[in-house]
PDB file of all heavy atoms in Angstrom:
ATOM      1  N   GLY A 526       0.683  -1.223   0.033  1.00  0.00           N
ATOM      2  CA  GLY A 526      -0.061  -0.023   0.074  1.00  0.00           C
ATOM      3  C   GLY A 526       0.862   1.293   0.080  1.00  0.00           C
ATOM      4  O   GLY A 526       0.285   2.383   0.130  1.00  0.00           O
ATOM      5  N   SER A 527       2.059   1.291  -0.138  1.00  0.00           N
ATOM      6  CA  SER A 527       2.920   2.484  -0.238  1.00  0.00           C
ATOM      7  C   SER A 527       2.782   3.081  -1.605  1.00  0.00           C
ATOM      8  O   SER A 527       3.024   2.429  -2.589  1.00  0.00           O
ATOM      9  CB  SER A 527       4.383   2.073   0.085  1.00  0.00           C
ATOM     10  OG  SER A 527       5.132   3.325   0.024  1.00  0.00           O
ATOM     11  N   ALA A 528       2.301   4.353  -1.705  1.00  0.00           N
ATOM     12  CA  ALA A 528       1.987   5.032  -2.926  1.00  0.00           C
ATOM     13  C   ALA A 528       3.099   6.109  -3.290  1.00  0.00           C
ATOM     14  O   ALA A 528       3.667   6.734  -2.426  1.00  0.00           O
ATOM     15  CB  ALA A 528       0.733   5.660  -2.860  1.00  0.00           C
ATOM     16  N   THR A 529       3.251   6.299  -4.682  1.00  0.00           N
ATOM     17  CA  THR A 529       4.127   7.226  -5.201  1.00  0.00           C
ATOM     18  C   THR A 529       3.329   7.993  -6.250  1.00  0.00           C
ATOM     19  O   THR A 529       2.682   7.361  -7.055  1.00  0.00           O
ATOM     20  CB  THR A 529       5.346   6.597  -5.714  1.00  0.00           C
ATOM     21  OG1 THR A 529       6.152   5.872  -4.724  1.00  0.00           O
ATOM     22  CG2 THR A 529       6.342   7.744  -6.345  1.00  0.00           C
ATOM     23  N   TYR A 530       3.586   9.385  -6.283  1.00  0.00           N
ATOM     24  CA  TYR A 530       2.791  10.113  -7.299  1.00  0.00           C
ATOM     25  C   TYR A 530       3.706  10.981  -8.100  1.00  0.00           C
ATOM     26  O   TYR A 530       4.767  11.542  -7.508  1.00  0.00           O
ATOM     27  CB  TYR A 530       1.803  11.055  -6.565  1.00  0.00           C
ATOM     28  CG  TYR A 530       0.690  10.214  -5.823  1.00  0.00           C
ATOM     29  CD1 TYR A 530       0.846  10.071  -4.470  1.00  0.00           C
ATOM     30  CD2 TYR A 530      -0.420   9.862  -6.529  1.00  0.00           C
ATOM     31  CE1 TYR A 530      -0.149   9.330  -3.868  1.00  0.00           C
ATOM     32  CE2 TYR A 530      -1.428   9.114  -5.809  1.00  0.00           C
ATOM     33  CZ  TYR A 530      -1.308   8.899  -4.513  1.00  0.00           C
ATOM     34  OH  TYR A 530      -2.275   8.154  -3.794  1.00  0.00           O
ATOM     35  N   ALA A 531       3.337  11.294  -9.264  1.00  0.00           N
ATOM     36  CA  ALA A 531       4.013  12.356 -10.077  1.00  0.00           C
ATOM     37  C   ALA A 531       3.765  13.721  -9.438  1.00  0.00           C
ATOM     38  O   ALA A 531       2.686  13.909  -8.920  1.00  0.00           O
ATOM     39  CB  ALA A 531       3.616  12.286 -11.509  1.00  0.00           C
ATOM     40  N   ASP A 532       4.700  14.573  -9.511  1.00  0.00           N
ATOM     41  CA  ASP A 532       4.416  15.957  -8.856  1.00  0.00           C
ATOM     42  C   ASP A 532       3.389  16.670  -9.381  1.00  0.00           C
ATOM     43  O   ASP A 532       2.587  17.369  -8.725  1.00  0.00           O
ATOM     44  CB  ASP A 532       5.722  16.804  -9.059  1.00  0.00           C
ATOM     45  CG  ASP A 532       6.969  16.330  -8.291  1.00  0.00           C
ATOM     46  OD1 ASP A 532       6.726  15.610  -7.234  1.00  0.00           O
ATOM     47  OD2 ASP A 532       8.063  16.775  -8.560  1.00  0.00           O
ATOM     48  N   SER A 533       2.995  16.402 -10.700  1.00  0.00           N
ATOM     49  CA  SER A 533       1.993  17.152 -11.379  1.00  0.00           C
ATOM     50  C   SER A 533       0.563  16.705 -10.867  1.00  0.00           C
ATOM     51  O   SER A 533      -0.385  17.498 -11.029  1.00  0.00           O
ATOM     52  CB  SER A 533       2.023  17.002 -12.952  1.00  0.00           C
ATOM     53  OG  SER A 533       1.875  15.517 -13.163  1.00  0.00           O
ATOM     54  N   VAL A 534       0.434  15.550 -10.250  1.00  0.00           N
ATOM     55  CA  VAL A 534      -0.813  15.017  -9.718  1.00  0.00           C
ATOM     56  C   VAL A 534      -0.889  14.968  -8.325  1.00  0.00           C
ATOM     57  O   VAL A 534      -2.016  14.605  -7.703  1.00  0.00           O
ATOM     58  CB  VAL A 534      -1.190  13.730 -10.450  1.00  0.00           C
ATOM     59  CG1 VAL A 534      -1.140  13.798 -11.993  1.00  0.00           C
ATOM     60  CG2 VAL A 534      -0.343  12.599  -9.869  1.00  0.00           C
ATOM     61  N   LYS A 535       0.163  15.166  -7.651  1.00  0.00           N
ATOM     62  CA  LYS A 535       0.171  15.070  -6.110  1.00  0.00           C
ATOM     63  C   LYS A 535      -0.857  16.007  -5.563  1.00  0.00           C
ATOM     64  O   LYS A 535      -1.026  17.120  -5.906  1.00  0.00           O
ATOM     65  CB  LYS A 535       1.652  15.437  -5.616  1.00  0.00           C
ATOM     66  CG  LYS A 535       1.988  14.828  -4.278  1.00  0.00           C
ATOM     67  CD  LYS A 535       3.494  14.888  -4.093  1.00  0.00           C
ATOM     68  CE  LYS A 535       4.285  14.151  -5.126  1.00  0.00           C
ATOM     69  NZ  LYS A 535       5.799  14.213  -4.803  1.00  0.00           N
ATOM     70  N   ASP A 536      -1.514  15.473  -4.525  1.00  0.00           N
ATOM     71  CA  ASP A 536      -2.530  16.257  -3.852  1.00  0.00           C
ATOM     72  C   ASP A 536      -3.940  16.302  -4.541  1.00  0.00           C
ATOM     73  O   ASP A 536      -4.874  16.856  -3.973  1.00  0.00           O
ATOM     74  CB  ASP A 536      -2.159  17.640  -3.331  1.00  0.00           C
ATOM     75  CG  ASP A 536      -0.912  17.580  -2.483  1.00  0.00           C
ATOM     76  OD1 ASP A 536      -0.826  16.737  -1.563  1.00  0.00           O
ATOM     77  OD2 ASP A 536      -0.045  18.467  -2.608  1.00  0.00           O
ATOM     78  N   ARG A 537      -3.950  15.750  -5.671  1.00  0.00           N
ATOM     79  CA  ARG A 537      -5.155  15.688  -6.486  1.00  0.00           C
ATOM     80  C   ARG A 537      -5.557  14.220  -6.848  1.00  0.00           C
ATOM     81  O   ARG A 537      -6.816  14.057  -6.716  1.00  0.00           O
ATOM     82  CB  ARG A 537      -5.033  16.473  -7.733  1.00  0.00           C
ATOM     83  CG  ARG A 537      -4.755  17.958  -7.646  1.00  0.00           C
ATOM     84  CD  ARG A 537      -4.820  18.634  -8.967  1.00  0.00           C
ATOM     85  NE  ARG A 537      -3.806  18.286  -9.957  1.00  0.00           N
ATOM     86  CZ  ARG A 537      -3.984  17.721 -11.144  1.00  0.00           C
ATOM     87  NH1 ARG A 537      -5.279  17.396 -11.452  1.00  0.00           N
ATOM     88  NH2 ARG A 537      -2.990  17.315 -11.855  1.00  0.00           N
ATOM     89  N   PHE A 538      -4.728  13.399  -7.127  1.00  0.00           N
ATOM     90  CA  PHE A 538      -5.064  11.984  -7.456  1.00  0.00           C
ATOM     91  C   PHE A 538      -4.747  11.102  -6.323  1.00  0.00           C
ATOM     92  O   PHE A 538      -3.782  11.392  -5.606  1.00  0.00           O
ATOM     93  CB  PHE A 538      -4.308  11.491  -8.683  1.00  0.00           C
ATOM     94  CG  PHE A 538      -4.659  12.248  -9.964  1.00  0.00           C
ATOM     95  CD1 PHE A 538      -5.630  13.243  -9.988  1.00  0.00           C
ATOM     96  CD2 PHE A 538      -4.017  11.834 -11.187  1.00  0.00           C
ATOM     97  CE1 PHE A 538      -5.941  13.987 -11.216  1.00  0.00           C
ATOM     98  CE2 PHE A 538      -4.299  12.447 -12.266  1.00  0.00           C
ATOM     99  CZ  PHE A 538      -5.320  13.488 -12.392  1.00  0.00           C
ATOM    100  N   ILE A 539      -5.488   9.994  -6.170  1.00  0.00           N
ATOM    101  CA  ILE A 539      -5.308   9.026  -5.176  1.00  0.00           C
ATOM    102  C   ILE A 539      -5.342   7.625  -5.766  1.00  0.00           C
ATOM    103  O   ILE A 539      -6.198   7.287  -6.441  1.00  0.00           O
ATOM    104  CB  ILE A 539      -6.227   9.045  -3.966  1.00  0.00           C
ATOM    105  CG1 ILE A 539      -6.311  10.446  -3.343  1.00  0.00           C
ATOM    106  CG2 ILE A 539      -6.059   7.964  -2.986  1.00  0.00           C
ATOM    107  CD1 ILE A 539      -7.443  10.620  -2.309  1.00  0.00           C
ATOM    108  N   ILE A 540      -4.193   6.893  -5.537  1.00  0.00           N
ATOM    109  CA  ILE A 540      -4.160   5.510  -5.985  1.00  0.00           C
ATOM    110  C   ILE A 540      -4.498   4.495  -4.933  1.00  0.00           C
ATOM    111  O   ILE A 540      -3.979   4.851  -3.715  1.00  0.00           O
ATOM    112  CB  ILE A 540      -2.786   5.102  -6.647  1.00  0.00           C
ATOM    113  CG1 ILE A 540      -2.854   3.806  -7.331  1.00  0.00           C
ATOM    114  CG2 ILE A 540      -1.632   5.203  -5.621  1.00  0.00           C
ATOM    115  CD1 ILE A 540      -1.646   3.526  -8.202  1.00  0.00           C
ATOM    116  N   SER A 541      -5.172   3.480  -5.223  1.00  0.00           N
ATOM    117  CA  SER A 541      -5.485   2.405  -4.151  1.00  0.00           C
ATOM    118  C   SER A 541      -5.531   1.118  -4.829  1.00  0.00           C
ATOM    119  O   SER A 541      -5.656   0.994  -6.097  1.00  0.00           O
ATOM    120  CB  SER A 541      -6.765   2.889  -3.410  1.00  0.00           C
ATOM    121  OG  SER A 541      -7.886   2.786  -4.395  1.00  0.00           O
ATOM    122  N   ARG A 542      -5.573   0.044  -3.976  1.00  0.00           N
ATOM    123  CA  ARG A 542      -5.724  -1.285  -4.560  1.00  0.00           C
ATOM    124  C   ARG A 542      -6.401  -2.157  -3.558  1.00  0.00           C
ATOM    125  O   ARG A 542      -6.498  -1.904  -2.398  1.00  0.00           O
ATOM    126  CB  ARG A 542      -4.290  -1.859  -4.826  1.00  0.00           C
ATOM    127  CG  ARG A 542      -3.393  -1.987  -3.662  1.00  0.00           C
ATOM    128  CD  ARG A 542      -1.991  -2.471  -4.023  1.00  0.00           C
ATOM    129  NE  ARG A 542      -1.894  -3.851  -4.571  1.00  0.00           N
ATOM    130  CZ  ARG A 542      -0.782  -4.305  -5.094  1.00  0.00           C
ATOM    131  NH1 ARG A 542       0.324  -3.598  -5.380  1.00  0.00           N
ATOM    132  NH2 ARG A 542      -0.813  -5.628  -5.534  1.00  0.00           N
ATOM    133  N   ASP A 543      -6.990  -3.177  -4.144  1.00  0.00           N
ATOM    134  CA  ASP A 543      -7.621  -4.341  -3.358  1.00  0.00           C
ATOM    135  C   ASP A 543      -7.001  -5.575  -3.749  1.00  0.00           C
ATOM    136  O   ASP A 543      -7.262  -6.166  -4.807  1.00  0.00           O
ATOM    137  CB  ASP A 543      -9.098  -4.226  -3.704  1.00  0.00           C
ATOM    138  CG  ASP A 543      -9.929  -5.298  -2.844  1.00  0.00           C
ATOM    139  OD1 ASP A 543      -9.364  -6.318  -2.338  1.00  0.00           O
ATOM    140  OD2 ASP A 543     -11.134  -5.062  -2.683  1.00  0.00           O
ATOM    141  N   ASN A 544      -6.161  -6.105  -2.869  1.00  0.00           N
ATOM    142  CA  ASN A 544      -5.379  -7.288  -3.121  1.00  0.00           C
ATOM    143  C   ASN A 544      -6.215  -8.551  -3.248  1.00  0.00           C
ATOM    144  O   ASN A 544      -5.937  -9.442  -4.062  1.00  0.00           O
ATOM    145  CB  ASN A 544      -4.312  -7.492  -2.076  1.00  0.00           C
ATOM    146  CG  ASN A 544      -3.226  -6.446  -2.076  1.00  0.00           C
ATOM    147  OD1 ASN A 544      -2.958  -5.781  -3.177  1.00  0.00           O
ATOM    148  ND2 ASN A 544      -2.562  -6.321  -1.018  1.00  0.00           N
ATOM    149  N   ALA A 545      -7.295  -8.614  -2.556  1.00  0.00           N
ATOM    150  CA  ALA A 545      -8.215  -9.696  -2.700  1.00  0.00           C
ATOM    151  C   ALA A 545      -8.969  -9.772  -4.033  1.00  0.00           C
ATOM    152  O   ALA A 545      -9.244 -10.823  -4.536  1.00  0.00           O
ATOM    153  CB  ALA A 545      -9.303  -9.573  -1.580  1.00  0.00           C
ATOM    154  N   LYS A 546      -9.142  -8.631  -4.718  1.00  0.00           N
ATOM    155  CA  LYS A 546      -9.757  -8.584  -6.042  1.00  0.00           C
ATOM    156  C   LYS A 546      -8.789  -8.432  -7.264  1.00  0.00           C
ATOM    157  O   LYS A 546      -9.337  -8.266  -8.349  1.00  0.00           O
ATOM    158  CB  LYS A 546     -10.833  -7.542  -6.023  1.00  0.00           C
ATOM    159  CG  LYS A 546     -11.949  -7.765  -5.018  1.00  0.00           C
ATOM    160  CD  LYS A 546     -12.916  -6.626  -5.098  1.00  0.00           C
ATOM    161  CE  LYS A 546     -14.132  -6.899  -4.044  1.00  0.00           C
ATOM    162  NZ  LYS A 546     -15.091  -5.827  -4.175  1.00  0.00           N
ATOM    163  N   ASN A 547      -7.490  -8.226  -6.938  1.00  0.00           N
ATOM    164  CA  ASN A 547      -6.513  -7.998  -7.916  1.00  0.00           C
ATOM    165  C   ASN A 547      -6.860  -6.778  -8.720  1.00  0.00           C
ATOM    166  O   ASN A 547      -6.694  -6.773  -9.960  1.00  0.00           O
ATOM    167  CB  ASN A 547      -6.262  -9.242  -8.853  1.00  0.00           C
ATOM    168  CG  ASN A 547      -5.722 -10.360  -8.211  1.00  0.00           C
ATOM    169  OD1 ASN A 547      -4.943 -10.305  -7.161  1.00  0.00           O
ATOM    170  ND2 ASN A 547      -5.995 -11.621  -8.592  1.00  0.00           N
ATOM    171  N   THR A 548      -7.256  -5.715  -8.084  1.00  0.00           N
ATOM    172  CA  THR A 548      -7.689  -4.480  -8.743  1.00  0.00           C
ATOM    173  C   THR A 548      -6.858  -3.246  -8.187  1.00  0.00           C
ATOM    174  O   THR A 548      -6.256  -3.239  -7.029  1.00  0.00           O
ATOM    175  CB  THR A 548      -9.187  -4.235  -8.453  1.00  0.00           C
ATOM    176  OG1 THR A 548      -9.357  -4.050  -7.185  1.00  0.00           O
ATOM    177  CG2 THR A 548     -10.036  -5.291  -9.103  1.00  0.00           C
ATOM    178  N   VAL A 549      -6.777  -2.240  -9.033  1.00  0.00           N
ATOM    179  CA  VAL A 549      -6.142  -0.997  -8.686  1.00  0.00           C
ATOM    180  C   VAL A 549      -6.918   0.121  -9.176  1.00  0.00           C
ATOM    181  O   VAL A 549      -7.603   0.012 -10.223  1.00  0.00           O
ATOM    182  CB  VAL A 549      -4.677  -0.897  -9.195  1.00  0.00           C
ATOM    183  CG1 VAL A 549      -4.621  -0.929 -10.694  1.00  0.00           C
ATOM    184  CG2 VAL A 549      -4.045   0.392  -8.654  1.00  0.00           C
ATOM    185  N   HIS A 550      -7.077   1.154  -8.417  1.00  0.00           N
ATOM    186  CA  HIS A 550      -7.903   2.296  -8.787  1.00  0.00           C
ATOM    187  C   HIS A 550      -7.166   3.554  -8.809  1.00  0.00           C
ATOM    188  O   HIS A 550      -6.108   3.786  -8.108  1.00  0.00           O
ATOM    189  CB  HIS A 550      -9.121   2.521  -7.787  1.00  0.00           C
ATOM    190  CG  HIS A 550      -9.846   1.258  -7.593  1.00  0.00           C
ATOM    191  ND1 HIS A 550     -10.820   0.794  -8.544  1.00  0.00           N
ATOM    192  CD2 HIS A 550      -9.829   0.235  -6.639  1.00  0.00           C
ATOM    193  CE1 HIS A 550     -11.424  -0.246  -8.054  1.00  0.00           C
ATOM    194  NE2 HIS A 550     -10.774  -0.596  -6.930  1.00  0.00           N
ATOM    195  N   LEU A 551      -7.615   4.564  -9.583  1.00  0.00           N
ATOM    196  CA  LEU A 551      -7.024   5.893  -9.619  1.00  0.00           C
ATOM    197  C   LEU A 551      -8.213   6.879  -9.460  1.00  0.00           C
ATOM    198  O   LEU A 551      -8.923   7.017 -10.450  1.00  0.00           O
ATOM    199  CB  LEU A 551      -6.258   6.193 -10.932  1.00  0.00           C
ATOM    200  CG  LEU A 551      -5.520   7.509 -10.882  1.00  0.00           C
ATOM    201  CD1 LEU A 551      -4.385   7.579  -9.882  1.00  0.00           C
ATOM    202  CD2 LEU A 551      -4.942   7.890 -12.273  1.00  0.00           C
ATOM    203  N   GLN A 552      -8.324   7.569  -8.311  1.00  0.00           N
ATOM    204  CA  GLN A 552      -9.197   8.592  -8.105  1.00  0.00           C
ATOM    205  C   GLN A 552      -8.748   9.847  -8.520  1.00  0.00           C
ATOM    206  O   GLN A 552      -7.718  10.263  -8.003  1.00  0.00           O
ATOM    207  CB  GLN A 552      -9.694   8.565  -6.585  1.00  0.00           C
ATOM    208  CG  GLN A 552     -10.713   9.646  -6.285  1.00  0.00           C
ATOM    209  CD  GLN A 552     -12.057   9.348  -6.926  1.00  0.00           C
ATOM    210  OE1 GLN A 552     -12.450   8.211  -6.959  1.00  0.00           O
ATOM    211  NE2 GLN A 552     -12.710  10.413  -7.301  1.00  0.00           N
ATOM    212  N   MET A 553      -9.196  10.467  -9.540  1.00  0.00           N
ATOM    213  CA  MET A 553      -8.848  11.634 -10.125  1.00  0.00           C
ATOM    214  C   MET A 553      -9.716  12.848  -9.656  1.00  0.00           C
ATOM    215  O   MET A 553     -10.851  12.993 -10.161  1.00  0.00           O
ATOM    216  CB  MET A 553      -8.797  11.657 -11.614  1.00  0.00           C
ATOM    217  CG  MET A 553      -8.007  10.456 -12.256  1.00  0.00           C
ATOM    218  SD  MET A 553      -8.073  10.225 -13.997  1.00  0.00           S
ATOM    219  CE  MET A 553      -7.439  11.756 -14.616  1.00  0.00           C
ATOM    220  N   ASN A 554      -9.298  13.621  -8.708  1.00  0.00           N
ATOM    221  CA  ASN A 554      -9.957  14.735  -8.176  1.00  0.00           C
ATOM    222  C   ASN A 554      -9.459  15.998  -8.877  1.00  0.00           C
ATOM    223  O   ASN A 554      -8.230  16.200  -9.003  1.00  0.00           O
ATOM    224  CB  ASN A 554      -9.865  14.747  -6.641  1.00  0.00           C
ATOM    225  CG  ASN A 554     -10.505  13.590  -5.968  1.00  0.00           C
ATOM    226  OD1 ASN A 554     -11.583  13.231  -6.326  1.00  0.00           O
ATOM    227  ND2 ASN A 554      -9.812  13.122  -4.923  1.00  0.00           N
ATOM    228  N   SER A 555     -10.364  16.969  -9.053  1.00  0.00           N
ATOM    229  CA  SER A 555     -10.021  18.229  -9.694  1.00  0.00           C
ATOM    230  C   SER A 555      -9.112  18.074 -10.922  1.00  0.00           C
ATOM    231  O   SER A 555      -8.035  18.754 -10.974  1.00  0.00           O
ATOM    232  CB  SER A 555      -9.351  19.195  -8.579  1.00  0.00           C
ATOM    233  OG  SER A 555     -10.153  19.432  -7.548  1.00  0.00           O
ATOM    234  N   PRO A 556      -9.424  17.216 -11.812  1.00  0.00           N
ATOM    235  CA  PRO A 556      -8.571  17.159 -12.996  1.00  0.00           C
ATOM    236  C   PRO A 556      -8.507  18.390 -13.723  1.00  0.00           C
ATOM    237  O   PRO A 556      -9.395  19.231 -13.854  1.00  0.00           O
ATOM    238  CB  PRO A 556      -9.334  16.016 -13.801  1.00  0.00           C
ATOM    239  CG  PRO A 556     -10.700  16.163 -13.469  1.00  0.00           C
ATOM    240  CD  PRO A 556     -10.748  16.554 -11.953  1.00  0.00           C
ATOM    241  N   LYS A 557      -7.328  18.619 -14.501  1.00  0.00           N
ATOM    242  CA  LYS A 557      -7.065  19.726 -15.273  1.00  0.00           C
ATOM    243  C   LYS A 557      -7.083  19.344 -16.722  1.00  0.00           C
ATOM    244  O   LYS A 557      -6.717  18.173 -17.086  1.00  0.00           O
ATOM    245  CB  LYS A 557      -5.759  20.386 -14.916  1.00  0.00           C
ATOM    246  CG  LYS A 557      -5.707  20.781 -13.458  1.00  0.00           C
ATOM    247  CD  LYS A 557      -4.336  21.255 -13.067  1.00  0.00           C
ATOM    248  CE  LYS A 557      -4.248  21.710 -11.605  1.00  0.00           C
ATOM    249  NZ  LYS A 557      -2.866  22.064 -11.252  1.00  0.00           N
ATOM    250  N   PRO A 558      -7.203  20.295 -17.756  1.00  0.00           N
ATOM    251  CA  PRO A 558      -7.053  19.924 -19.093  1.00  0.00           C
ATOM    252  C   PRO A 558      -5.635  19.243 -19.410  1.00  0.00           C
ATOM    253  O   PRO A 558      -5.593  18.467 -20.370  1.00  0.00           O
ATOM    254  CB  PRO A 558      -7.221  21.324 -19.899  1.00  0.00           C
ATOM    255  CG  PRO A 558      -8.104  22.071 -18.974  1.00  0.00           C
ATOM    256  CD  PRO A 558      -7.750  21.636 -17.577  1.00  0.00           C
ATOM    257  N   GLU A 559      -4.713  19.654 -18.753  1.00  0.00           N
ATOM    258  CA  GLU A 559      -3.336  19.050 -18.809  1.00  0.00           C
ATOM    259  C   GLU A 559      -3.267  17.596 -18.484  1.00  0.00           C
ATOM    260  O   GLU A 559      -2.273  16.937 -18.911  1.00  0.00           O
ATOM    261  CB  GLU A 559      -2.295  19.845 -18.077  1.00  0.00           C
ATOM    262  CG  GLU A 559      -2.243  21.298 -18.318  1.00  0.00           C
ATOM    263  CD  GLU A 559      -3.154  22.049 -17.242  1.00  0.00           C
ATOM    264  OE1 GLU A 559      -2.723  22.347 -16.139  1.00  0.00           O
ATOM    265  OE2 GLU A 559      -4.317  22.266 -17.597  1.00  0.00           O
ATOM    266  N   ASP A 560      -4.321  17.059 -17.827  1.00  0.00           N
ATOM    267  CA  ASP A 560      -4.381  15.651 -17.357  1.00  0.00           C
ATOM    268  C   ASP A 560      -4.871  14.777 -18.636  1.00  0.00           C
ATOM    269  O   ASP A 560      -4.952  13.594 -18.584  1.00  0.00           O
ATOM    270  CB  ASP A 560      -5.233  15.378 -16.178  1.00  0.00           C
ATOM    271  CG  ASP A 560      -4.612  16.104 -14.971  1.00  0.00           C
ATOM    272  OD1 ASP A 560      -3.350  16.027 -14.806  1.00  0.00           O
ATOM    273  OD2 ASP A 560      -5.284  16.681 -14.180  1.00  0.00           O
ATOM    274  N   THR A 561      -5.442  15.489 -19.641  1.00  0.00           N
ATOM    275  CA  THR A 561      -5.954  14.785 -20.822  1.00  0.00           C
ATOM    276  C   THR A 561      -4.848  13.851 -21.451  1.00  0.00           C
ATOM    277  O   THR A 561      -3.761  14.287 -21.726  1.00  0.00           O
ATOM    278  CB  THR A 561      -6.470  15.706 -21.928  1.00  0.00           C
ATOM    279  OG1 THR A 561      -7.549  16.433 -21.330  1.00  0.00           O
ATOM    280  CG2 THR A 561      -6.878  14.966 -23.111  1.00  0.00           C
ATOM    281  N   SER A 562      -5.153  12.538 -21.464  1.00  0.00           N
ATOM    282  CA  SER A 562      -4.219  11.596 -22.066  1.00  0.00           C
ATOM    283  C   SER A 562      -4.907  10.236 -22.101  1.00  0.00           C
ATOM    284  O   SER A 562      -5.994  10.002 -21.666  1.00  0.00           O
ATOM    285  CB  SER A 562      -2.870  11.596 -21.056  1.00  0.00           C
ATOM    286  OG  SER A 562      -1.909  10.793 -21.615  1.00  0.00           O
ATOM    287  N   ILE A 563      -4.108   9.278 -22.651  1.00  0.00           N
ATOM    288  CA  ILE A 563      -4.465   7.857 -22.548  1.00  0.00           C
ATOM    289  C   ILE A 563      -3.738   7.333 -21.264  1.00  0.00           C
ATOM    290  O   ILE A 563      -2.637   7.466 -21.152  1.00  0.00           O
ATOM    291  CB  ILE A 563      -4.029   7.097 -23.810  1.00  0.00           C
ATOM    292  CG1 ILE A 563      -4.653   7.622 -24.996  1.00  0.00           C
ATOM    293  CG2 ILE A 563      -4.408   5.672 -23.682  1.00  0.00           C
ATOM    294  CD1 ILE A 563      -4.234   6.898 -26.290  1.00  0.00           C
ATOM    295  N   TYR A 564      -4.657   6.729 -20.433  1.00  0.00           N
ATOM    296  CA  TYR A 564      -4.176   6.222 -19.089  1.00  0.00           C
ATOM    297  C   TYR A 564      -3.938   4.629 -19.264  1.00  0.00           C
ATOM    298  O   TYR A 564      -4.860   3.981 -19.728  1.00  0.00           O
ATOM    299  CB  TYR A 564      -4.923   6.551 -18.048  1.00  0.00           C
ATOM    300  CG  TYR A 564      -4.834   7.947 -17.619  1.00  0.00           C
ATOM    301  CD1 TYR A 564      -5.342   9.036 -18.427  1.00  0.00           C
ATOM    302  CD2 TYR A 564      -4.247   8.319 -16.461  1.00  0.00           C
ATOM    303  CE1 TYR A 564      -5.088  10.374 -18.026  1.00  0.00           C
ATOM    304  CE2 TYR A 564      -3.997   9.591 -16.038  1.00  0.00           C
ATOM    305  CZ  TYR A 564      -4.512  10.669 -16.855  1.00  0.00           C
ATOM    306  OH  TYR A 564      -4.290  12.023 -16.475  1.00  0.00           O
ATOM    307  N   TYR A 565      -2.829   4.122 -18.799  1.00  0.00           N
ATOM    308  CA  TYR A 565      -2.550   2.721 -18.958  1.00  0.00           C
ATOM    309  C   TYR A 565      -2.322   2.181 -17.550  1.00  0.00           C
ATOM    310  O   TYR A 565      -1.625   2.622 -16.698  1.00  0.00           O
ATOM    311  CB  TYR A 565      -1.356   2.462 -19.734  1.00  0.00           C
ATOM    312  CG  TYR A 565      -1.451   2.888 -21.252  1.00  0.00           C
ATOM    313  CD1 TYR A 565      -1.005   4.113 -21.610  1.00  0.00           C
ATOM    314  CD2 TYR A 565      -1.877   1.906 -22.196  1.00  0.00           C
ATOM    315  CE1 TYR A 565      -1.209   4.481 -22.911  1.00  0.00           C
ATOM    316  CE2 TYR A 565      -1.863   2.367 -23.515  1.00  0.00           C
ATOM    317  CZ  TYR A 565      -1.574   3.688 -23.908  1.00  0.00           C
ATOM    318  OH  TYR A 565      -1.609   4.037 -25.255  1.00  0.00           O
ATOM    319  N   CYS A 566      -2.964   0.968 -17.289  1.00  0.00           N
ATOM    320  CA  CYS A 566      -2.710   0.249 -16.104  1.00  0.00           C
ATOM    321  C   CYS A 566      -1.464  -0.636 -16.287  1.00  0.00           C
ATOM    322  O   CYS A 566      -1.386  -1.216 -17.340  1.00  0.00           O
ATOM    323  CB  CYS A 566      -3.970  -0.649 -15.775  1.00  0.00           C
ATOM    324  SG  CYS A 566      -3.886  -1.595 -14.356  1.00  0.00           S
ATOM    325  N   ASN A 567      -0.721  -0.726 -15.128  1.00  0.00           N
ATOM    326  CA  ASN A 567       0.433  -1.635 -15.221  1.00  0.00           C
ATOM    327  C   ASN A 567       0.479  -2.543 -13.939  1.00  0.00           C
ATOM    328  O   ASN A 567       0.177  -1.973 -12.893  1.00  0.00           O
ATOM    329  CB  ASN A 567       1.713  -0.805 -15.393  1.00  0.00           C
ATOM    330  CG  ASN A 567       2.999  -1.552 -15.148  1.00  0.00           C
ATOM    331  OD1 ASN A 567       3.445  -1.597 -13.991  1.00  0.00           O
ATOM    332  ND2 ASN A 567       3.557  -2.270 -16.180  1.00  0.00           N
TER     333      ASN A 567
END
């Protein structure tokens, strides 16, 4: 559960995971036009 963020999204986005379900989430709060992109899960 230790998280790392790019400086550009720090304090706005939150990453989380559920190990039992093998899932990861990205909560995008207050997104900006500069956040427009294709997002890939890894």
Side-chain angles (χ1 to χ4, degrees):
S527 180
T529 301
Y530 299 93
D532 288 341
S533 59
V534 307
K535 204 167 295 182
D536 300 322
R537 295 189 297 118
F538 294 2
I539 301 173
I540 188 170
S541 62
R542 64 188 288 171
D543 186 335
N544 292 336
K546 297 180 179 179
N547 291 334
T548 60
V549 62
H550 307 278
L551 185 68
Q552 180 68 39
M553 303 172 63
N554 297 319
S555 300
K557 305 175 181 178
E559 308 92 86
D560 295 318
T561 295
S562 188
I563 300 176
Y564 285 71
Y565 297 89
C566 177
N567 169 266

